[in-house]
Amino acid sequence: MIKFGNRTDYCKGTVFGWSQRMKRLLTYVFCLSLFVVSLIAWLSNLYGWVLPIELFSHFQAQYFIISLFFILGLLLVSRDQKIQFLAIFTVTIISINILSWYLPFVANQTAENSNLRVLVYNVYKNNESHEKALAMIRKNQADLAVLLEINEIWMQKLKQLNKAFSDVLYSSQINDRGIAIYSKFPLENTSKNLYGKSDKPILSAELTINK
């Protein structure tokens, strides 16, 4: 006589097995995704000056937010404390890249201890709020101001800054992609070039501070 087991127990065991396999799969997916996002965040932060990588360097805050979703998923599907610790550690490392952007006391402390105040400002060629932009530049009391997307109209408006800065360097082509550098320190070994075969200007200069 053959005795069959309880079908309900069999179904429960099957569902439990599938559930465990799904959790393991999701754990691998979340871990791999978190690793990839972290790698992109750190490489783009460390080597953002290389043009192809530079394209990914502008999304540090987004990388941090995405990593939070992945770590939340890991906390839900995995009870492995080692995996949870590594995930939290990874997110903490990513957050270091953006802490100074959003914590006022960190930014102020950095500014107070700095020997050089640098302002990089894309004025935007179609922006007609010239006085507001000039007021913002004066308010920040920058030692070095780099202004982007300068055109002929902006060139005329920016002449008001000549009194506050001892040296001024403009790109040779003043079009919608013009660049202007205003410095309170002497600019030396200046050069004006075009990027590759395009008409995008490049300015370079050397300056010495705290002689």
Side-chain angles (χ1 to χ4, degrees):
M1 181 176 180
I2 301 176
K3 184 177 181 180
F4 294 96
N6 190 310
R7 183 175 180 82
T8 302
D9 293 338
Y10 172 78
C11 292
K12 288 182 179 179
T14 302
V15 172
F16 178 78
W18 274 103
S19 176
Q20 292 300 106
R21 285 193 288 271
M22 182 59 68
K23 286 183 178 180
R24 285 197 295 269
L25 177 61
L26 289 175
T27 299
Y28 294 145
V29 171
F30 287 139
C31 286
L32 180 60
S33 301
L34 186 59
F35 172 77
V36 172
V37 171
S38 303
L39 185 63
I40 294 174
W42 270 101
L43 286 178
S44 61
N45 184 62
L46 294 176
Y47 303 102
W49 48 271
V50 180
L51 186 58
I53 301 178
E54 190 270 342
L55 298 174
F56 299 93
S57 65
H58 306 282
F59 308 102
Q60 298 298 324
Q62 288 83 348
Y63 297 145
F64 176 70
I65 294 173
I66 292 173
S67 66
L68 289 180
F69 282 104
F70 289 143
I71 192 174
L72 178 61
L74 279 173
L75 293 175
L76 291 175
V77 302
S78 176
R79 294 294 182 266
D80 191 323
Q81 293 184 352
K82 292 182 179 179
I83 293 178
Q84 293 178 353
F85 173 79
L86 288 175
I88 295 174
F89 176 76
T90 303
V91 173
T92 303
I93 294 299
I94 297 177
S95 67
I96 294 176
N97 295 338
I98 61 174
L99 276 178
S100 60
W101 304 353
Y102 301 102
L103 296 180
F105 69 89
V106 175
N108 292 337
Q109 185 178 14
T110 302
E112 291 173 359
N113 296 333
S114 176
N115 292 323
L116 182 69
R117 292 178 62 88
V118 179
L119 171 68
V120 179
Y121 186 15
N122 189 327
V123 299
Y124 182 54
K125 58 185 180 182
N126 296 326
N127 180 16
E128 297 182 356
S129 301
H130 306 109
E131 294 303 323
K132 289 183 179 180
L134 291 170
M136 190 278 294
I137 295 172
R138 295 190 184 99
K139 180 180 179 181
N140 281 273
Q141 299 180 351
D143 299 311
L144 184 71
V146 181
L147 308 181
L148 309 176
E149 290 199 26
I150 303 298
N151 55 21
E152 292 291 346
I153 298 176
W154 273 103
M155 279 288 296
Q156 296 299 321
K157 299 296 181 180
L158 291 173
K159 287 183 178 179
Q160 301 178 39
L161 297 176
N162 291 348
K163 297 180 180 179
F165 296 91
S166 60
D167 268 21
V168 182
L169 180 65
Y170 298 104
S171 55
S172 55
Q173 294 183 353
I174 302 300
N175 49 29
D176 292 341
R177 296 175 179 174
I179 303 175
I181 299 178
Y182 289 82
S183 175
K184 293 181 179 179
F185 300 92
L187 296 175
E188 303 172 349
N189 299 325
T190 61
S191 65
K192 304 177 182 181
N193 298 291
L194 295 178
Y195 182 78
K197 297 181 180 180
S198 68
D199 60 346
K200 298 177 181 178
I202 296 178
L203 298 182
S204 64
E206 296 179 2
L207 70 158
T208 303
I209 61 174
N210 297 337
K211 288 186 177 181

